[in-house]
Amino acid sequence: MILEEMILLPSSMPIVSFPANPNLLINPPPSWPSRRGNSAVVASAASRDVDSFTSKSGYLFSLSADEADSLSEYNFPRIDGMYKKKPLILLRRLAQIGTTFGYWFGLRLADEALERSEQMFKVRAAELRKLLVELGPAYVKIAQAVSSRPNLIPPIYLDELSLLQDQITPFSSEVAFNMIEDELGLPIDELFSEISPEPVAAASLGQVYQARLRRSGKVVAVKVQRPGVRAAIALDTLILRYIAGLIKKAGRFNSDLEAVVDEWATSLFKEMDYLNEAQNGIKFRKLYGGIKDVLVPKMYTEYSTSKVLVMEWVEGQKLNEVNDLYLVEVGVYCSFNQLLEYGFYHADPHPGNFLRTYDGQLAYLDFGMMGDFRPELRDGFMEACLHLVNRDFKALAKDFVTLGLLPPTAEKSAVTMALTDVFQDAISRGVRNISFGDLLGDLGKTMYRFKFRIPPYFSLVIRSLAVLEGIAIGISPNYKVLGSTYPWIARKILTDSSPQLKISLQNLLYEDGVFRIDRLESLLSESLRTETALVQKPVVGTDSNIAMKQMLAFTFTEQGSFVREILLREFAKGLDAFGLATLDSFTFSGSGPSTSLTEEDMTNLRTFYRLISLFSGMQKAESVSTQVKAVSKYGEALTPLDEASLVMYQLPSAQEMLPILSILPELPQESQQRLLQLPGDLVGRLVSRAFARTIRRMFL
């Protein structure tokens, strides 16, 4: 299997997977000469035996040693200066791109004029795919990203573009073996005891051979870079960057499109550095290799250079070719872990880079294009998801400033109104029905209207998430990435130690000083959904004991300390109000409707009732407000004392509290110890409130 884009060659190839019969692998003939250090021979061989993909791309031309070295990383001024000295090559490439796309669009216009668009639709899709191959690796990479979004392009075009992950012509094995020897400094037969005579897979940037290491006997994949590919991509990114500048000026875009191209090109050049990819793979394996059912192959850095990569061989099938929604969930979970836990994420998650191994694991491949999501951006992204789900569009407008999508000087009120119009309908269907792709589509017009900026990092992150949802949609059309991952985001927000997220949670739960218990209920219930098959058996909704146990266990952990502090505060307020209401029920029982309860006390009493209902698993948390509305409907306005009595009447009895008491011994020892401290904390808070109220009534 390939490590860059998992591109298997047709079944006519001698080897597709490591065979039981070792005779299907060959030992390199002793007559093969060692070519280490002889780059001229490689260039000569390449010029004699150029594959059709390379030939049509037209990117094999002579570079000096200094020019070749200058392409080790993306540097626009350096690339610009290099190609300014080669104007004929630049003009030839511009002409090739212009005539290629011009020819295809001309055919499409002719089809429309002759009213045969529908009949020729499939033909034109196939032609477009072939033209993209001819244009070379940069355009193949762009098309591969688009082909992972089945909800954005017609199915026929999707089928054709997906072939770009399967059908790229390999270059000469002689050239590849020359490069291996030249890069590693040893003859093939000293490196490998066996190696496939032809590549088992080929991609736009390189191709893969299956081999067995002579020293250890381990079966490995050997990825070899295409000759001249850096020069080709350097030339195309130069042209794309100039086009981005023209589009920005013509369309008056607020986004720095040139910076977006720079970000993409930087990642692409890093992807062509196989030593960098090896280090990325090692880091990725360390961070995420321990996640259940995630496989990250081992890297052999001692056999790797900037143009040759050797790594563990992985057997399996493409994820989008097997109907395994569980592994899609594993991939989504792992990807959000990458984005929001450590910030080191796989920025090229197209279908070819995911394998379902034969033992049911999800294998990640190709670690060339990775991204780093800074902590403040991770927090901003989670806050945006939180505010979106809770319809706090005013806060969402501020999140867009934090994420760099809007300038600080933007008209926040107008943006808030626009976001409300865009997202209101989508959110009303519930978080589990929110499509990430649809949200982006709905946001498009608003982004253009308010001159949203597209920060360079944003394009890679959004592409990563959109591609993941695209893979999932291919298996399950109704799958929603945000709906699937919001429980994990909710758990992260409730437990994270980030000061920024704590402030955001505080602001969400307290609106104008009033505690929004409905939002806490929503967060807690959603966070419990993280207990899926990735961790343990799903929570059964009808078994309230399981939900209560998990809720209590979470609340009394170290991670739940911030939420526990909020709950203690609100319980203390509620107990204080309950005490006042109890006292009033005796004091004023025979003397009319008088009461010492304030509106704040009544709010605290209602919150107290809902908190007890929440943690006792009761299903009647809304019954008090329902009864109040029912009475008010017939014109019988309740006095504060009457409403307080109704709330008190609805509080659970000792028998109803038995389920919660019965599971307390089942909690972890650490949680039980914190639970024992609860009465003392509550008494202290009650005494403080009573003292403060007494002082206030005496002197105010």
Side-chain angles (χ1 to χ4, degrees):
M1 299 298 175
I2 195 163
L3 309 178
E4 178 189 308
E5 291 156 2
M6 284 308 304
I7 301 171
L8 293 180
L9 294 179
S11 57
S12 59
M13 289 299 301
I15 298 171
V16 174
S17 62
F18 193 70
N21 181 3
N23 293 327
L24 291 181
L25 293 174
I26 67 166
N27 291 314
S31 59
W32 283 1
S34 172
R35 302 173 178 83
R36 51 184 179 273
N38 192 353
S39 58
V41 176
V42 176
S44 176
S47 63
R48 293 195 310 269
D49 190 7
V50 176
D51 59 275
S52 59
F53 175 68
T54 304
S55 176
K56 291 181 179 179
S57 301
Y59 62 71
L60 275 185
F61 50 85
S62 177
L63 288 179
S64 68
D66 290 340
E67 288 174 332
D69 291 342
S70 71
L71 296 179
S72 60
E73 60 182 12
Y74 177 71
N75 185 309
F76 173 73
R78 192 179 299 164
I79 293 171
D80 186 40
M82 185 178 77
Y83 282 105
K84 278 182 178 178
K85 299 176 184 177
K86 304 176 185 295
L88 293 180
I89 291 175
L90 183 60
L91 289 174
R92 184 189 70 180
R93 186 59 171 164
L94 283 170
Q96 185 184 26
I97 294 170
T99 55
T100 299
F101 281 121
Y103 170 77
W104 186 81
F105 280 112
L107 291 176
R108 289 283 292 139
L109 290 173
D111 291 340
E112 291 183 9
L114 297 173
E115 297 183 352
R116 61 178 189 183
S117 295
E118 292 186 9
Q119 300 94 309
M120 299 298 292
F121 202 67
K122 187 173 182 178
V123 174
R124 299 301 177 225
E127 289 175 346
L128 178 62
R129 190 252 307 165
K130 293 176 183 177
L131 292 177
L132 290 170
V133 170
E134 291 181 11
L135 287 175
Y139 292 91
V140 170
K141 280 289 185 184
I142 294 172
Q144 284 171 346
V146 175
S147 70
S148 299
R149 294 298 297 162
N151 56 329
L152 296 182
I153 59 176
I156 293 177
Y157 278 80
L158 177 67
D159 293 340
E160 288 294 334
L161 294 183
S162 64
L163 294 178
L164 294 173
Q165 298 166 3
D166 295 309
Q167 297 182 6
I168 301 293
T169 307
F171 61 93
S172 164
S173 287
E174 182 183 359
V175 173
F177 293 152
N178 284 337
M179 186 178 294
I180 292 172
E181 292 188 341
D182 188 52
E183 289 290 311
L184 298 181
L186 288 172
I188 287 284
D189 56 350
E190 291 185 22
L191 294 166
F192 310 110
S193 59
E194 300 169 324
I195 189 169
S196 55
E198 298 294 335
V200 296
S204 57
L205 301 185
Q207 59 195 36
V208 171
Y209 295 83
Q210 189 183 49
R212 187 185 296 275
L213 292 174
R214 180 166 290 281
R215 289 184 185 176
S216 64
K218 298 289 186 182
V219 181
V220 295
V222 184
K223 182 161 72 169
V224 188
Q225 192 171 104
R226 284 183 180 273
V229 70
R230 287 177 179 270
I233 289 180
L235 179 57
D236 284 337
T237 53
L238 175 70
I239 293 171
L240 288 171
R241 196 179 189 279
Y242 278 126
I243 293 174
L246 292 174
I247 292 175
K248 179 181 176 182
K249 290 179 181 178
R252 298 180 181 179
F253 281 90
N254 197 42
S255 300
D256 190 350
L257 296 181
E258 292 160 309
V260 172
V261 173
D262 286 338
E263 183 80 5
W264 175 74
T266 299
S267 297
L268 198 50
F269 268 77
K270 287 181 179 178
E271 186 177 0
M272 290 186 287
D273 183 352
Y274 290 171
L275 271 180
N276 178 69
E277 179 175 350
Q279 293 303 318
N280 286 341
I282 292 170
K283 182 177 180 179
F284 197 89
R285 180 184 173 99
K286 180 180 178 182
L287 293 177
Y288 313 114
I291 295 176
K292 182 183 177 183
D293 292 326
V294 170
L295 173 66
V296 182
K298 179 183 178 182
M299 301 287 165
Y300 292 89
T301 53
E302 66 271 30
Y303 294 102
S304 300
T305 70
S306 62
K307 295 180 180 179
V308 175
L309 175 65
V310 177
M311 61 189 287
E312 178 185 355
W313 179 264
V314 180
E315 291 276 358
Q317 298 172 275
K318 286 184 182 179
L319 183 60
N320 64 331
E321 293 178 352
V322 293
N323 188 20
D324 195 334
L325 191 58
Y326 166 71
L327 281 190
V328 172
E329 289 274 2
V330 171
V332 170
Y333 171 79
C334 182
S335 295
F336 265 76
N337 223 295
Q338 296 165 40
L339 283 171
L340 304 181
E341 187 68 32
Y342 297 104
F344 182 69
Y345 66 96
H346 198 298
D348 192 23
H350 65 70
N353 287 334
F354 292 111
L355 272 190
R356 183 193 185 278
T357 65
Y358 294 127
D359 60 354
Q361 290 184 295
L362 177 68
Y364 274 80
L365 304 171
D366 185 7
F367 306 100
M369 188 176 288
M370 309 296 289
D372 287 303
F373 209 23
R374 299 195 310 272
E376 64 272 18
L377 296 176
R378 300 203 299 266
D379 290 349
F381 185 86
M382 283 189 281
E383 287 179 306
C385 291
L386 182 68
H387 295 142
L388 174 67
V389 170
N390 287 280
R391 309 183 194 186
D392 190 348
F393 299 114
K394 182 178 180 180
L396 185 61
K398 295 179 181 178
D399 295 333
F400 285 163
V401 174
T402 302
L403 292 170
L405 295 169
L406 279 174
T409 55
E411 183 68 36
K412 304 293 191 308
S413 58
V415 173
T416 300
M417 291 180 61
L419 292 176
T420 303
D421 292 339
V422 169
F423 293 137
Q424 190 70 49
D425 290 340
I427 302 303
S428 64
R429 295 193 292 270
V431 64
R432 302 185 193 189
N433 297 310
I434 298 174
S435 166
F436 184 78
D438 291 346
L439 286 181
L440 288 179
D442 293 340
L443 188 59
K445 293 181 180 178
T446 303
M447 292 181 74
Y448 181 80
R449 174 186 169 191
F450 289 96
K451 305 296 182 185
F452 274 46
R453 298 179 295 192
I454 302 177
Y457 80 89
F458 191 74
S459 58
L460 287 179
V461 172
I462 295 304
R463 177 178 176 270
S464 177
L465 295 178
V467 167
L468 278 169
E469 188 169 70
I471 294 173
I473 289 172
I475 298 174
S476 176
N478 296 321
Y479 187 84
K480 306 293 186 293
V481 162
L482 186 57
S484 176
T485 54
Y486 181 69
W488 189 86
I489 294 174
R491 171 66 67 94
K492 179 75 173 170
I493 289 170
L494 288 170
T495 61
D496 200 275
S497 59
S498 163
Q500 182 178 336
L501 287 181
K502 285 183 177 180
I503 292 172
S504 181
L505 179 60
Q506 180 88 9
N507 292 337
L508 179 78
L509 296 181
Y510 289 90
E511 188 173 290
D512 298 326
V514 178
F515 181 57
R516 291 291 303 272
I517 187 174
D518 57 321
R519 292 182 174 178
L520 179 62
E521 287 175 330
S522 174
L523 280 171
L524 285 172
S525 62
E526 285 293 335
S527 69
L528 290 181
R529 284 208 294 132
T530 58
E531 307 294 337
T532 63
L534 292 175
V535 184
Q536 52 182 269
K537 292 182 179 180
V539 175
V540 180
T542 57
D543 192 345
S544 60
N545 279 359
I546 296 177
M548 280 189 288
K549 182 178 178 180
Q550 291 181 346
M551 198 175 298
L552 286 169
F554 161 71
T555 305
F556 288 99
T557 59
E558 182 63 33
Q559 288 184 318
S561 59
F562 186 69
V563 174
R564 185 169 65 251
E565 179 65 24
I566 291 175
L567 291 172
L568 277 172
R569 184 191 312 154
E570 295 305 319
F571 262 114
K573 290 179 182 178
L575 280 172
D576 181 54
F578 179 73
L580 288 175
T582 302
L583 182 62
D584 281 3
S585 67
F586 291 107
T587 304
F588 301 106
S589 59
S591 57
S594 300
T595 179
S596 61
L597 293 172
T598 64
E599 183 57 39
E600 180 185 354
D601 291 328
M602 291 302 305
T603 300
N604 292 337
L605 189 59
R606 297 186 200 105
T607 299
F608 179 60
Y609 165 75
R610 291 190 64 171
L611 283 173
I612 291 181
S613 300
L614 175 65
F615 281 91
S616 63
M618 295 166 57
Q619 301 298 319
K620 54 180 182 177
E622 298 293 338
S623 60
V624 172
S625 58
T626 302
Q627 291 184 39
V628 170
K629 289 178 182 177
V631 173
S632 301
K633 181 179 179 181
Y634 294 100
E636 302 176 17
L638 290 178
T639 65
L641 188 56
D642 290 334
E643 187 178 346
S645 299
L646 185 58
V647 173
M648 292 166 63
Y649 174 76
Q650 293 287 337
L651 288 174
S653 64
Q655 185 175 1
E656 289 174 315
M657 292 295 292
L658 282 178
I660 190 172
L661 295 175
S662 66
I663 64 175
L664 294 181
E666 301 176 19
L667 296 176
Q669 189 66 32
E670 183 183 4
S671 297
Q672 291 186 36
Q673 290 176 356
R674 290 194 175 95
L675 186 61
L676 292 175
Q677 299 171 2
L678 183 63
D681 291 339
L682 279 175
V683 169
R685 292 170 186 270
L686 283 171
V687 171
S688 296
R689 284 189 63 83
F691 180 76
R693 182 173 57 254
T694 302
I695 295 297
R696 186 167 58 249
R697 291 182 178 180
M698 288 176 60
F699 296 101
L700 296 180

